Amino acid sequence: MTYKTHDQAARDGSPHPLRWRILGFLGVAQLMLILDVTVVAIALPNIEADLELSRQAVTWTVSAYTLTFGGLMLLGGRAADLIGAKRVVLAGLLIFTAASLVTGFAGTAALLLGGRVAQGIGAALMSPSALSLVVQLFDGEERNKALGVWSALGGGGAALGVLLGGLLTAGPGWPWVFYVNVPIGLVIVVALARMLPHQEAAAPRPGLDVLGALLVTASSAALIYAFIRAGDHGWFTLAGGVLVLVAAIGYLAFVARQKTARSPMMDVALLVRRPVATGTFLILMATALMIAVFFLGTFYFQHGEDFGALQTGLLFLPVAVATMLGANLTGRTIARTGARPLAVGGLVIAAIGMAVPALSMHPATVVAGTAIAGAGTGAMFVVASATALGQVAPHESGIASGIVSTFHEFGASIGAAVISSVAAVSLVGDTLSGFKDGFVVAAVAAAAGALAAAVLTPGRGR
């Protein structure tokens, strides 16, 4: 079949003949981006020792990537709408692949964090553009199935990243958690360049709102830094309050900027639509809880129990299976049950899972509890995507995808910062009390989220 036929399919409205194959490559690319959060998590103790990182630097190794990823996501989504998702996907993949190579060579904390920021830039371009392509290539029930596959890859990939991180760290060493992205990224770039149909720009390339992107990223950085420093200086300090105030002012300035910019990153009105607002809340909660599972579990097993990286990775296999099962089951049933019961149920299950190790800290209970929590977060990923993206117009798909993906990464940044500070006493000492406190905070947050979801999530037919 020729590429002209593929493009003709796009023009005459018929489904793209290679849409499921394209979904496979896009899914693997997204899997690689998600893996880069958790595959690094299990290598953190080794990176910390080799590069002599402080607790704050350890936390920033996760947050520098997720913050840049999330802060520039709206810019990536907007770029996809303006100049075509294919171009932005390929550019983002190339940047991410090159940055992964540089990060693997890092010999200092500065180069490590710089590489993570560059990875985040590439991911911010690739992820919303790829999700936009999924929304464009599929319609109706097929779109729900495709989003279910997408969510299962993302949620399960996060858990599988811990296993892969254990294998690579225990084998060739922690730099390979970054090097492994290079051959995979190059193969995907070549495949997608050949299969994706040509796309015309939606408009005559107006300027992107770089100032808006900088405002939201800087505001989020101030908020994340406030959370991170709380572990060393306390939660209620003048400096912490100032940072939170700066973040709030920055977010207000971002909203004002969107109303006055010639080419705004987003229509703020889109964010206040009930389905989109609910989806962003659920994706933030799901990712924050997921990061809490991996951060607490990884350091508990390696610091508290002296397990090796490979053994720790293997102990997360039940979490990977449970997360994918939760996502798959939700993708199959959401059309019949509606989003609300699945959103509430996912958060309740996550709260129960987090409560298990909070009540009894033992390797067996940590594995069981995190697996239960994984099933709940897997369900939440599907509900969030389906709720936020199920009713958007095609011309809004890029920016709506960018909004969902932005809150996905902000959830990871916030989750890492808060849990790191709550568990600080265990990360730098020999006590388990910090890990228990972390699971308690996560369980309470999930339970509160369930109450909010019961009110916010639209019912069937709304």
Side-chain angles (χ1 to χ4, degrees):
M1 188 173 292
T2 66
Y3 291 102
K4 182 177 179 180
T5 304
H6 299 164
D7 292 340
Q8 181 63 44
R11 285 194 296 270
D12 65 19
S14 61
H16 193 290
L18 297 180
R19 61 192 180 282
W20 289 105
R21 192 177 300 177
I22 292 172
L23 175 64
F25 280 103
L26 291 174
V28 173
Q30 176 71 2
L31 179 65
M32 187 168 61
L33 305 187
I34 301 301
L35 280 173
D36 230 59
V37 179
T38 54
V39 76
V40 171
I42 199 164
L44 280 177
N46 295 74
I47 299 174
E48 176 187 29
D50 284 357
L51 302 184
E52 299 180 351
L53 302 181
S54 65
R55 181 191 66 82
Q56 291 193 10
V58 167
T59 307
W60 277 115
T61 303
V62 175
S63 294
Y65 174 68
T66 54
L67 179 60
T68 311
F69 192 171
L72 300 180
M73 191 80 70
L74 293 174
L75 199 64
R78 182 63 173 163
D81 285 340
L82 294 178
I83 64 177
K86 177 179 179 178
R87 296 185 182 93
V88 181
V89 161
L90 296 178
L93 268 171
L94 287 172
I95 293 171
F96 179 84
T97 302
S100 296
L101 183 62
V102 171
T103 310
F105 282 116
T108 65
L111 186 57
L112 175 74
L113 296 181
R116 293 292 279 165
V117 168
Q119 282 187 303
I121 293 172
L125 293 173
M126 202 290 290
S127 186
S129 307
L131 187 52
S132 174
L133 283 168
V134 173
V135 173
Q136 294 171 29
L137 288 169
F138 296 91
D139 196 17
E141 185 60 28
E142 272 199 348
R143 180 184 290 183
N144 286 333
K145 291 180 181 179
L147 289 173
V149 171
W150 182 266
S151 300
L153 284 170
L160 290 173
V162 183
L163 174 60
L164 180 61
L167 290 169
L168 293 173
T169 304
W174 67 260
W176 282 90
V177 303
F178 302 109
Y179 292 152
V180 72
N181 295 328
V182 177
I184 297 173
L186 292 176
V187 169
I188 295 173
V189 166
V190 172
L192 291 179
R194 291 176 58 84
M195 287 192 298
L196 285 173
H198 175 71
Q199 291 182 312
E200 296 294 339
R205 302 197 184 191
L208 294 173
D209 184 18
V210 177
L211 176 58
L214 293 176
L215 278 172
V216 73
T217 305
S219 302
S220 300
L223 184 63
I224 298 305
Y225 182 52
F227 289 145
I228 291 175
R229 75 184 303 276
D232 298 321
H233 304 283
W235 289 93
F236 301 101
T237 64
L238 177 61
V242 170
L243 286 168
V244 172
L245 179 61
V246 168
I249 293 172
Y251 287 132
L252 290 175
F254 170 74
V255 172
R257 168 68 181 174
Q258 298 315 289
K259 294 181 178 180
T260 59
R262 175 179 293 183
S263 180
M265 290 171 60
M266 63 174 289
D267 178 1
V268 179
L270 184 64
L271 186 57
V272 298
R273 291 184 196 172
R274 187 176 178 184
V276 177
T278 302
T280 56
F281 166 72
L282 291 175
I283 203 75
L284 185 145
M285 287 294 301
T287 314
L289 292 171
M290 178 191 72
I291 288 298
V293 164
F294 296 123
F295 201 98
L296 291 171
T298 294
F299 277 94
Y300 164 69
F301 288 134
Q302 296 192 55
H303 277 192
E305 298 293 338
D306 290 326
F307 293 162
L310 179 57
Q311 186 176 2
T312 299
L314 290 171
L315 288 173
F316 274 95
L317 267 179
V319 184
V321 173
T323 304
M324 289 187 286
L325 286 176
N328 183 266
L329 181 61
T330 303
R332 292 175 179 271
T333 60
I334 190 170
R336 297 194 302 272
T337 65
R340 183 182 295 164
L342 293 174
V344 174
L347 281 160
V348 169
I349 291 170
I352 293 171
M354 294 295 193
V356 172
L359 296 172
S360 174
M361 184 69 67
H362 182 275
T365 55
V366 172
V367 171
T370 53
I372 293 170
T377 56
M380 290 161 62
F381 282 125
V382 176
V383 177
S385 297
T387 302
L389 303 176
Q391 300 179 30
V392 299
H395 71 277
E396 297 174 322
S397 60
I399 195 59
S401 300
I403 291 173
V404 172
S405 299
T406 294
F407 280 82
H408 183 286
E409 299 312 315
F410 282 171
S413 299
I414 293 170
V418 171
I419 290 300
S420 169
S421 291
V422 171
V425 65
S426 291
L427 294 175
V428 299
D430 297 326
T431 177
L432 297 180
S433 62
F435 296 135
K436 282 193 174 184
D437 290 345
F439 281 113
V440 168
V441 168
V444 171
L451 294 176
V455 176
L456 295 174
T457 311
R460 298 191 66 181
R462 296 179 66 181

